[in-house]
Amino acid sequence: MVKVAPSILAANFMCLEKELKKLEKAQADYVHFDVMDGHFVDNITFGPQILKQAKKCTNLMFDVHLMVNNPSKFIPWYAEAGADIITFHLEATDNPLNEIKLIKSFGLKVGISIKPQTPIEKLKPFLGDIDLVLIMSVNPGFGGQQFDANTPKRIENLRKLSSSVLIEVDGGINKETAKLSIDAGADILVAGTSVFKTCNYEKNIKKIKGEN
């Protein structure tokens, strides 16, 4: 069964605790935290203190996506703040094994993310050491972008390389693109606008899963 990870970046930060409780009630599977540093991508989001405070409000799994340069500097901050999964970008490091080992040292699940232009084959040396691959279906940095049409084929190609790694897809996810991703083999869908666009989060999550 596909899982949905609502991106908290699209939530109302004036009442974050309330938003997290609503996601629990709506049976979200994870909470996705898009961490941006203003360097790897142009946007800036939130630091580990937000994560630490949010952890007090919910038992949902925290799925942290580091869109940052020098991810090894950030990993301990977010691990200690309450992350359950930490994903870093392949393009942001010269030696991904360093980040993989560092995340594992905290007892957390490890993910690697790639931009739409990065060949899937570049992941091959690391697939046996990680739990998850996050395929970006938009260019990282800002919400509201259109889903890249090549994404389903990239999911299929990744699944051919590994039958065990979890495949997460992030960017432009709605009812239609979710189905394309699920049919191609995706396990987890990150959704921001399509979850938070109306007050009925449960209905929106079910639509993404194809349940209504």
Side-chain angles (χ1 to χ4, degrees):
M1 175 66 71
V2 69
K3 298 183 183 297
V4 173
S7 174
I8 204 68
L9 191 59
N12 182 351
F13 270 75
M14 295 299 290
C15 50
L16 184 56
E17 181 176 3
K18 183 178 178 181
E19 292 281 64
L20 290 166
K21 294 298 184 186
K22 286 175 67 176
L23 290 177
E24 278 188 347
K25 189 176 180 181
Q27 300 181 50
D29 298 288
Y30 306 125
V31 180
H32 189 82
F33 287 84
D34 288 307
V35 177
M36 308 179 196
D37 64 352
H39 298 285
F40 183 74
V41 295
D42 290 336
N43 202 2
I44 296 175
T45 53
F46 34 73
Q49 282 300 320
I50 296 290
L51 195 81
K52 187 175 182 179
Q53 294 302 314
K55 195 72 174 180
K56 298 175 184 178
C57 305
T58 180
N59 292 318
L60 288 170
M61 294 273 286
F62 279 16
D63 176 25
V64 175
H65 177 195
L66 297 178
M67 288 177 264
V68 302
N69 288 333
N70 191 14
S72 289
K73 178 181 177 181
F74 288 76
I75 287 165
W77 298 347
Y78 289 89
E80 291 166 3
D84 297 291
I85 305 164
I86 295 182
T87 297
F88 64 93
H89 266 267
L90 185 66
E91 304 90 354
T93 177
D94 293 327
N95 188 354
L97 288 176
N98 289 339
E99 282 76 18
I100 291 169
K101 289 176 183 177
L102 181 56
I103 295 168
K104 286 185 175 181
S105 75
F106 288 96
L108 306 180
K109 291 187 176 182
V110 182
I112 296 181
S113 184
I114 55 172
K115 297 178 181 180
Q117 301 83 8
T118 300
I120 291 290
E121 290 71 24
K122 287 195 173 184
L123 292 164
K124 194 171 181 179
F126 313 108
L127 292 175
D129 297 308
I130 63 176
D131 302 287
L132 178 150
V133 171
L134 173 52
I135 294 179
M136 292 298 299
S137 44
V138 298
N139 288 309
F142 294 91
Q145 298 180 63
Q146 285 194 337
F147 182 86
D148 190 302
N150 292 321
T151 302
K153 186 64 177 176
R154 286 165 62 77
I155 296 169
E156 290 173 1
N157 289 341
L158 175 56
R159 184 52 75 213
K160 289 175 184 176
L161 293 177
S162 173
S163 60
S164 59
V165 72
L166 292 172
I167 300 177
E168 186 171 24
V169 182
D170 184 358
I173 294 295
N174 54 37
K175 183 178 180 179
E176 290 74 28
T177 58
K179 186 178 188 309
L180 292 173
S181 300
I182 294 166
D183 289 348
D187 301 292
I188 306 165
L189 302 175
V190 178
T193 305
S194 57
V195 169
F196 292 98
K197 64 182 177 180
T198 70
C199 293
N200 194 335
Y201 298 169
E202 183 175 6
K203 182 179 180 181
N204 296 340
I205 287 171
K206 284 183 175 179
K207 280 184 179 179
I208 293 166
K209 290 184 175 184
E211 294 177 4
N212 66 4

